[in-house]
Amino acid sequence: MKKLFFILIAAICFISACRKEEQSEDAKRLEKAVAALKNTFLPSGSTRYQINLENDEDADAGAYAIRLILPGKTMAQIAYVTGDKTLLPLASNNFVWAEGNSSYIGKGLCFDSDESGAAAVMLMEEMFYEKASGDQEYAHLKKPILRCLRDTYFDKNYGFREVRHKDGPHPFYDGETWLALALYTDFFPEDRKNGDWIKIVDDIIMRSYREKSYEIKRFFHWGAQAAAQRYKTTKDPKFLDFLKYMFAQIQQDMPVRYIENNMNACTYSEGLADLIEVMDDPKIRQEALERFDRQMQGVRKLQLSTTTLPDGNPMHPYAGKYIGLFHNRPNDFIVMPDTAQHCAVALMKASRLKSYGTYLKQKASRKEKPTKAKEKP
């Protein structure tokens, strides 16, 4: 019996080891990105904004404080998707910091930087945290944040105002807010009142961006995630049609052959992964996979892997803990947790997207065939 016990333990260890060996390159890169992102969080719950690797100096986020909430949202999202609950305290502290920098406008809780997108990211962070942890501590704040988005920023003519005192949308914030609402109605279908409002938002947003195709390249990243989520929730083909429309626009604006394989395309990759996951047209899915692969090459190339800077000099001694973050662009000394969190989500999606795994295997197989042919006598 004792011998059988040790054989069983050995078998379990062997299986675990095999699984570890099978971990994809993108999954390994995600682990490094997450480890480095953890080091960007401050005791306040906020994160660093713009880190200079030469001198370890930071920059003030100023009007872009939304970028100090996004890393927290991503910690909660990765915890929700992967089950890694060690990330939840970072998300919780970040949300508490964001709430402390928010104020009530009427019955709506809005982030003080007066950005519709910031309230949307707060909502996503709370939902991912709540679903990953089972903790209801901040659940009562969802409705006030929704009230902020509906009462303060929503405009029935085009979507969401960038800021409350300025008429006009912003593609990033429209996309972020639509995604937050898409996730909300999926997570909490019992809230029919907000569910009905979100259906109205769907039609306004899609109509608005069909009328201004020139903005799709800025809207696509968040917008594709939102449209894909709405399709998953509703199975309504109008969302697939909108995804096809957006993909055609970005293919036209920047054909795959013009995508440099060292550009930081993390944001585009997030949306493209979700498009690929739900796409029912084989031709579009294949074209999207080719584009996604080209973009992910850039994501991998820009990930920090050494303490040597692009000019050959060593980075600041304290900056070594940020190995695993990402250059904003080639030969840049600046890294941003906001950029890194986009890249981390892109890597997470790439490592879990089955069709992309198949694509990579087929790509590797095509490369091996000529080599094998040459080896024949």
Side-chain angles (χ1 to χ4, degrees):
M1 191 71 180
K2 195 172 182 181
K3 186 177 180 182
L4 181 62
F5 173 79
F6 284 117
I7 291 172
L8 182 61
I9 292 296
I12 292 170
C13 292
F14 176 76
I15 291 168
S16 299
C18 287
R19 283 179 179 169
K20 197 162 188 179
E21 284 176 13
E22 291 170 3
Q23 190 181 41
S24 69
E25 178 190 354
D26 288 330
K28 293 173 184 175
R29 287 181 176 276
L30 172 62
E31 287 183 353
K32 293 175 182 176
V34 169
L37 261 174
K38 287 180 178 179
N39 293 326
T40 69
F41 284 81
L42 302 172
S44 65
S46 177
T47 67
R48 299 192 68 178
Y49 172 59
Q50 201 172 71
I51 305 165
N52 188 316
L53 297 174
E54 285 186 296
N55 52 32
D56 197 39
E57 291 181 358
D58 204 352
D60 183 6
Y64 301 103
I66 182 176
R67 293 177 176 173
L68 305 181
I69 313 173
L70 280 160
K73 182 278 297 181
T74 291
M75 292 293 101
Q77 183 178 3
I78 293 173
Y80 171 71
V81 173
T82 68
D84 184 358
K85 294 192 175 185
T86 65
L87 306 178
L88 291 175
L90 294 170
S92 174
N93 292 341
N94 184 255
F95 184 81
V96 169
W97 172 83
E99 183 197 356
N101 285 274
S102 301
S103 304
Y104 278 88
I105 300 174
K107 293 183 179 180
L109 182 63
C110 304
F111 192 66
D112 289 341
S113 66
D114 188 22
E115 302 162 285
S116 55
V121 173
M122 281 182 68
L123 180 60
M124 286 190 272
E125 182 171 24
E126 194 290 324
M127 291 188 294
F128 281 129
Y129 176 81
E130 181 179 335
K131 290 298 180 180
S133 67
D135 187 345
Q136 297 287 309
E137 184 176 358
Y138 314 118
H140 66 287
L141 295 173
K142 290 194 299 292
K143 292 289 180 69
I145 298 173
L146 277 166
R147 289 291 295 264
C148 167
L149 294 171
R150 188 177 69 236
D151 298 348
T152 305
Y153 294 108
F154 178 60
D155 188 297
K156 64 182 180 181
N157 294 311
Y158 53 74
F160 294 89
R161 297 182 189 90
E162 179 180 356
V163 295
R164 66 179 183 273
H165 296 308
K166 180 182 175 184
D167 187 35
H170 189 292
F172 293 168
Y173 295 169
D174 268 347
E176 283 168 331
T177 306
W178 193 26
L179 176 57
L181 298 179
L183 288 165
Y184 178 83
T185 195
D186 189 69
F187 285 148
F188 307 101
E190 67 277 8
D191 184 353
R192 294 185 179 180
K193 182 179 178 181
N194 278 306
D196 290 342
W197 171 57
I198 291 164
K199 291 176 184 176
I200 295 170
V201 172
D202 291 337
D203 292 336
I204 292 171
I205 290 285
M206 288 191 288
R207 185 194 70 231
S208 179
Y209 282 90
R210 282 186 183 275
E211 291 173 356
K212 49 186 179 185
S213 59
Y214 59 90
E215 286 285 25
I216 291 297
K217 59 187 174 185
R218 295 203 296 165
F219 175 73
F220 178 83
H221 147 231
W222 292 105
Q225 293 180 77
Q229 181 59 61
R230 289 299 282 143
Y231 177 72
K232 289 179 191 176
T233 302
T234 68
K235 297 297 183 286
D236 190 326
K238 70 182 181 182
F239 297 110
L240 274 181
D241 291 342
F242 188 60
L243 283 165
K244 292 170 185 176
Y245 158 74
M246 286 197 291
F247 183 69
Q249 288 297 321
I250 63 167
Q251 287 282 80
Q252 178 181 305
D253 290 344
M254 185 182 285
V256 176
R257 64 182 179 276
Y258 293 136
I259 298 175
E260 297 178 17
N261 65 358
N262 63 351
M263 71 179 285
N264 192 316
C266 296
T267 55
Y268 280 104
S269 298
E270 289 179 89
L272 201 53
D274 288 1
L275 178 148
I276 292 166
E277 184 182 2
V278 301
M279 184 50 59
D280 65 343
D281 185 312
K283 182 176 182 294
I284 294 176
R285 184 169 58 247
Q286 183 62 27
E287 290 176 356
L289 281 165
E290 291 169 4
R291 186 181 188 93
F292 185 70
D293 184 50
R294 183 73 171 174
Q295 291 175 180
M296 289 306 298
Q297 291 174 39
V299 174
R300 299 178 194 114
K301 283 189 177 183
L302 291 174
Q303 188 170 28
L304 296 178
S305 59
T306 174
T307 56
T308 302
L309 293 169
D311 65 357
N313 290 318
M315 65 173 60
H316 190 279
Y318 292 160
K321 60 187 176 183
Y322 302 126
I323 297 295
L325 297 186
F326 300 79
H327 293 288
N328 289 336
R329 58 187 65 84
N331 304 318
D332 195 357
F333 294 174
I334 302 296
V335 293
M336 297 177 67
D338 173 34
T339 301
Q341 63 84 22
H342 285 300
C343 296
V345 173
L347 287 168
M348 179 178 70
K349 291 182 176 182
S351 68
R352 290 171 169 265
L353 191 58
K354 290 182 179 179
S355 58
Y356 184 50
T358 302
Y359 175 91
L360 290 176
K361 287 176 183 176
Q362 291 172 344
K363 183 180 173 183
S365 177
R366 287 194 298 270
K367 284 183 178 179
E368 287 174 4
K369 283 180 182 178
T371 305
K372 288 179 180 178
K374 287 179 183 177
E375 290 174 354
K376 292 180 180 180

